[in-house]
Amino acid sequence: MNRKFIELPFLIFFILVLAGCTGIIKQFVDMRGYRYCEILFQFEDRTDVWGTQGLNRCPADEWDQIDFDELRESSGAVNLIQNGPRYFVVNSSEGMNLPEENTKYFGNLEMRKLATVEQIHASKPYTEVVVMRDNTWIFEKDNEIYVLSDPSGNKYVMQSFSQILDKDLEESDLSDLRHKIDLPSGWRYEVEILDENLFVHANGNAIVIQDNLFNTYQKL
């Protein structure tokens, strides 16, 4: 399977943990179901990533009221990527903390600068991408997990689901998500209930994919 190396997850890829930072995701008491949004400002020489993580749960009315065209023009960005809303499916994370940055309001929505990176590369659904980060996702015992399997037997566990394309998608829909996504030939989508905690390690490089609804999975 072909892989592409990138320095951040984003709308076409995934979201949430960015390379080149001293960490982004704070270990919440239980972050499963935590809603968050990101805005990526693409300039000629860099991309600035802003997110709501650790500040708020990206209230729908505040997110929906942002005039993204006006925001792009006023910021001087070449392009603006709306990466959200998203919801964590993991219960907690170890090894990364939110950066200490000044916050800023976009409309009425408070966000913090998560990272500045040099390049963004696009990819197709169900294509492996290597994201440079070092953390551990923790899925707790007795929770449902959602696993993609490719024809070679590789498995990928969902870390977040997205309402970017399907605005009505809820966590309660994930058990039957196989009826909503377009799986390539030979791929499977399965639901498991954990009989013990599951630890998914990145160890510097996390291999991640997205389905065609921009839900994000990490390779086991």
Side-chain angles (χ1 to χ4, degrees):
M1 180 179 295
N2 293 331
R3 296 177 183 168
K4 296 183 179 181
F5 286 79
I6 62 170
E7 290 189 334
L8 89 157
F10 68 112
L11 173 65
I12 301 177
F13 291 127
F14 340 28
I15 62 208
L16 64 105
V17 181
L18 300 159
C21 301
T22 56
I24 289 183
I25 301 301
K26 182 177 181 179
Q27 183 171 351
F28 300 98
V29 174
D30 188 347
M31 52 195 279
R32 185 165 179 141
Y34 186 94
R35 172 182 162 119
Y36 64 96
C37 302
E38 294 175 343
I39 302 175
L40 283 66
F41 295 82
Q42 293 182 288
F43 299 95
E44 294 288 350
D45 59 344
R46 72 186 192 281
T47 297
D48 293 341
V49 184
W50 292 75
T52 62
Q53 294 96 316
L55 294 173
N56 57 70
R57 293 176 179 261
C58 187
D61 55 346
E62 296 179 2
W63 177 253
D64 293 340
Q65 288 175 10
I66 297 176
D67 187 331
F68 290 98
D69 289 333
E70 180 181 343
L71 183 58
R72 178 186 57 79
E73 292 179 5
S74 63
S75 68
V78 175
N79 188 34
L80 214 63
I81 296 175
Q82 305 169 40
N83 187 24
R86 287 187 172 276
Y87 297 79
F88 286 117
V89 183
V90 301
N91 294 103
S92 59
S93 174
E94 292 181 346
M96 304 190 85
N97 296 306
L98 286 160
E100 295 182 1
E101 289 279 353
N102 292 331
T103 64
K104 185 176 181 179
Y105 282 87
F106 299 102
N108 294 319
L109 185 62
E110 187 178 17
M111 307 186 86
R112 75 170 86 230
K113 189 175 181 181
L114 300 177
T116 295
V117 296
E118 293 183 357
Q119 295 182 4
I120 292 178
H121 304 282
S123 184
K124 296 180 180 179
Y126 306 101
T127 299
E128 286 188 351
V129 177
V130 177
V131 178
M132 292 178 286
R133 58 177 165 85
D134 190 359
N135 78 310
T136 299
W137 296 132
I138 302 172
F139 299 82
E140 293 183 355
K141 177 183 177 180
D142 298 327
N143 278 255
E144 279 191 349
I145 60 170
Y146 312 100
V147 180
L148 285 175
S149 301
D150 69 13
S152 299
N154 297 307
K155 293 181 178 293
Y156 309 82
V157 61
M158 185 184 291
Q159 62 188 33
S160 72
F161 73 91
S162 163
Q163 293 179 337
I164 295 170
L165 290 183
D166 185 346
K167 298 185 183 303
D168 296 322
L169 187 65
E170 301 288 346
E171 185 172 345
S172 58
D173 299 321
L174 299 181
S175 296
D176 294 317
L177 189 65
R178 65 185 180 276
H179 300 301
K180 286 179 170 282
I181 57 177
D182 297 325
L183 288 172
S185 177
W187 284 69
R188 300 193 313 274
Y189 178 91
E190 298 173 308
V191 180
E192 302 176 16
I193 298 178
L194 293 172
D195 55 13
E196 60 183 8
N197 288 355
L198 173 66
F199 299 88
V200 182
H201 306 285
N203 296 324
N205 289 323
I207 299 174
V208 288
I209 64 172
Q210 282 190 327
D211 62 30
N212 58 290
L213 294 180
F214 297 135
N215 305 309
T216 304
Y217 308 74
Q218 181 170 324
K219 191 173 186 178
L220 294 173

